[in-house]
Amino acid sequence: MTHDFYDFGLIGLGVMGRNFILNVADNNFKALGYDLDQEKVDALIQEGGNTERVNATTDLKSFTEGLSHPRKIMLLVPAGKIVDQVIENLLPHLDEGDIIIDGGNSFFTDTDRRESYLQEKGINFFGSGVSGGAKGARRGPSIMPGGNREAYQHVKPIFEAVSAKYKGEPCVAYLGPKSAGNYVKMVHNGIEYAMMQLTSEIYDILKKGAKLTNEELHETFSTWNSGRLQSFLVEITAEIFDQKDELTDAHLVDMILDKAKQKGTGKWTSQNAMDLGIPIPTIDMAVSMREISALKSERLAAEKLYPKKDIPALDKAKLIDQAEQALYFAFIMAYAQGLHQLADASEEYGYDLDLATIAKIWRAGCIIRAGLLADISEAFATEPKLPNLILSSAFVPKIQESISAARELAITAINHGIPLPGLSNSLSYFDAYTSGRLPLNLIQAQRDHFGSHTYERIDREGIFHTDWKEK
């Protein structure tokens, strides 16, 4: 260890942490890492080239003493109790005004609790979502910080330097107080779940219905990525279809078991949307499909009981065209639902979120980055109080021109027993949201009939109850 002071400290030198701190050093900030694992410390020092800009230690006292004031310490450790443990270990070594940044996927209420606890001790705490995976951490992620606005000014130069850039603009911005950053990252991940599910469904119908080979799927998704579907997920999907398996002669995608795992952020998004009363059915279904995928043995047993008929080869060109339009439509619905939830949460939790800014910092670096986000950011900048993206005058023609194909593709899938629950829920969400009258009047009548829960009327103000006739 040298006696020079470092601009930035990072605890947790796994792949994400190591890549992030090297990114900081590459941008001419002196960075100091800490980890209990000597091998991880040595790996960082070696990869950093033993330069003065990056160093690491296993000694917490040396780590904190080596940082300039106010200390700026980022945690990239697993969410949960370990975050609290690290904070408690740090506290004896910190001074008033120091800054702790949680860069993990912590649940937003945990962030609120930690911020309140540390505020009493004079320590600033940030929940800061980081998206882009290990590669993003190294090359430039999208960063979503929330906490004390004044304290953020100490972190801002570093975050703006290391973040991804979209046409020169850094993909990071102060989002709001308390847990605003972690909340936005949570919903980002919910949208991510939806977009991944939708992409997998389109793959399924093209493979089963149009009988596309992996080579054709690679070509199709590559072509789409050059158009209005340009996005990180479409890009890597094209690459996946081109990857051969090292253990067999097959393509790798065909050798991967169809059981998708999850770390909880999608589930949290769905649960909190329920608490807020905000409908996000495409995201909900994406979570449910991962749960259904885990029932592999049951699905295999059910398939024998309800065998599906062979699907005849459908019109390949027509199906590809419909699939592109359907995926475009459904991506819009996924963004619309997530941003609707953010708007409501902003009011409920006092975040004062700027949806145009959020869409802007998602344009590069993060997993849900897509060409669509430039249009989404502009839509909310033009109409800051827009309650739902579906209502944007800029998006009405985009939706109108793609929805017919989405309907036709869903019908084809239903007729041939191909599950497209994400797309189907996107269509149902759109149809319900754009219906001036829904059949929920009957539900209110039922509730009043069996439970005297009362109802409202269309012709006069007030709350009413009827003594229903029983036969």
Side-chain angles (χ1 to χ4, degrees), residues 65 163 286 319 341 361 385 461:
E65 289 180 350
S163 69
L319 207 63
Q341 180 170 348
I361 67 172
K385 298 298 183 182
E461 296 291 325

Side-chain angles (χ1 to χ4, degrees), residues 257-278:
L257 186 64
D258 58 327
K259 289 171 64 175
K261 298 181 180 180
Q262 54 185 316
K263 291 187 176 180
T265 47
K267 178 183 71 175
W268 293 344
T269 305
S270 288
Q271 288 173 330
N272 185 250
M274 290 283 184
D275 292 338
L276 294 172
I278 295 297

